[in-house]
Amino acid sequence: MTAVTLTGRVSDHSTAVDRSLPRFREIFARIAAGAAQRERARELPYAEVAELFAAGFGALRVPVEFGGHGATLPELFELLAELGQADSNIPQILRGHFTTVEILRNLDDGPVRAHWLEKIGAGAAFGNAQSEPTGRGTFDISTTVTDHDGEAVVSGEKYYTTGTLYADYIRVAVTDGDARRRFVVVAATAAGVDRIDDWDGIGQRLTASGTTKFEAAPVAEFGEFGHRPGFLDQQSSFVQIVHVATLAGINRNVRDDAVELVRSRTRTSLHAPSDAATSDYAVLGVVGKIAKNVLVVDSILQRIAQELEDVNARFAAEGPTRDLFAEVFVNTSAAQIAVIDAVLDSANLIFNAGGSSAVREGRNLDRHWRNARTLASHNPVVYKPTVIGDYLVNGTTPKSFADRYGEPKNS
């Protein structure tokens, strides 16, 4: 399969993804048209997310035999970048969904895998419920799964439950009676589930990254699945690259807004070398610097997406080895550092292209910095230089989800 390129071109070789591109991009255009206003008014994009799933966007990575598109990782991440260019909230909303699809793709064939892939192929959406508001860290879990009259039920409270308000099903991190960490699936509208829109971050305000409460909520049929041994190491890179793709989208949006801003200016500064902003070399240089950042970020995204695609192919062919995903994780971490620096630079530079009018609330240009800064706080970038240095100098394999959760039994 030929991947969508980062310039938006596709090959003559027709695939399920290629055939769906025009419809996806029509939806992206509608999403973009209302994105700034939705954020100002804090209008959650329920209709926009529903339209994407109805069009099959949530089934991008679902194999064709289960009703999906069978997309490659480079195709997925490019389309998430395009979606992030339209509205950066929405790729983050879908992060937990696509992570679940990756896990399902790598289960052994069987009824559990088929059940959920068929549902997602038909349009079902997954949300995330992993982190908790209390405890010593992300992986300190007090939410439980217990037996109640012969039925498995979930009780507890989660935070950072991104996407749950938009989901049909929620994949929940729990502990059982033996203090083992597990994941179970709960229907989002099941009795005992309370999804609360209380996310108060400075950016990514529409992601529904707030609280979800479970009170004896029943586990769904086929509602527990593990991982192919070794595959949890892949997830550490995958979830980071989703954010890199979203940041790439923000960067493109900054560039487009900068171009529009300069073209719309009717006044110049006292010291401007030209009466028109469109011929002011200083202002044009700002746009050029932002365009440089876009090229850098897009190139990085393309490389790390292909690296993860390649290492997945090795995993499928060779089976698990402890260090299989280490190098791609290190490169993904380096990419995260470089991308965050570039996108925050773009989000700051745009104000130099517009003068005082650029800071008016109606333009909402500050959303780019706020959204990028919020994404930069996930998988905290502050630790990544040390992870990279420790790997290169000492050969220390980076910690992964497998180290924190352990490898659950395969399903």
Side-chain angles (χ1 to χ4, degrees), residues 184-235:
V184 295
V185 177
V186 175
T189 56
V193 178
D194 186 14
R195 297 172 287 171
I196 304 168
D197 179 26
D198 60 350
W199 168 239
D200 61 354
I202 62 170
Q204 298 297 94
R205 292 173 173 175
L206 309 182
T207 57
S209 296
T211 301
T212 301
K213 297 180 180 180
F214 302 90
E215 185 175 350
V219 174
E221 183 183 14
F222 297 110
E224 182 170 4
F225 45 85
H227 307 264
R228 182 179 172 188
F231 189 72
L232 271 175
D233 291 324
Q234 187 264 17
Q235 296 298 93

Side-chain angles (χ1 to χ4, degrees), residues 228-231 311-322 324-325:
R228 182 179 172 188
F231 189 72
V311 81
N312 276 356
R314 285 179 53 202
F315 176 77
E318 303 168 10
T321 60
R322 184 64 186 88
L324 184 63
F325 292 103

Side-chain angles (χ1 to χ4, degrees), residues 73 234 237-238 241 304-312 328:
L73 286 173
Q234 187 264 17
S237 294
F238 179 86
I241 301 175
I304 60 174
Q306 188 60 53
E307 283 190 11
L308 189 58
E309 179 79 358
D310 293 344
V311 81
N312 276 356
V328 71

Side-chain angles (χ1 to χ4, degrees), residues 149-171:
D149 294 334
E151 180 180 45
V153 296
V154 173
S155 296
E157 182 174 327
K158 298 289 187 178
Y159 196 63
Y160 301 117
T161 58
T162 304
T164 53
L165 284 176
Y166 307 91
D168 300 301
Y169 298 95
I170 307 169
R171 191 163 180 267

Side-chain angles (χ1 to χ4, degrees), residues 322-333:
R322 184 64 186 88
D323 61 350
L324 184 63
F325 292 103
E327 185 172 349
V328 71
F329 181 82
V330 167
N331 287 342
T332 299
S333 298

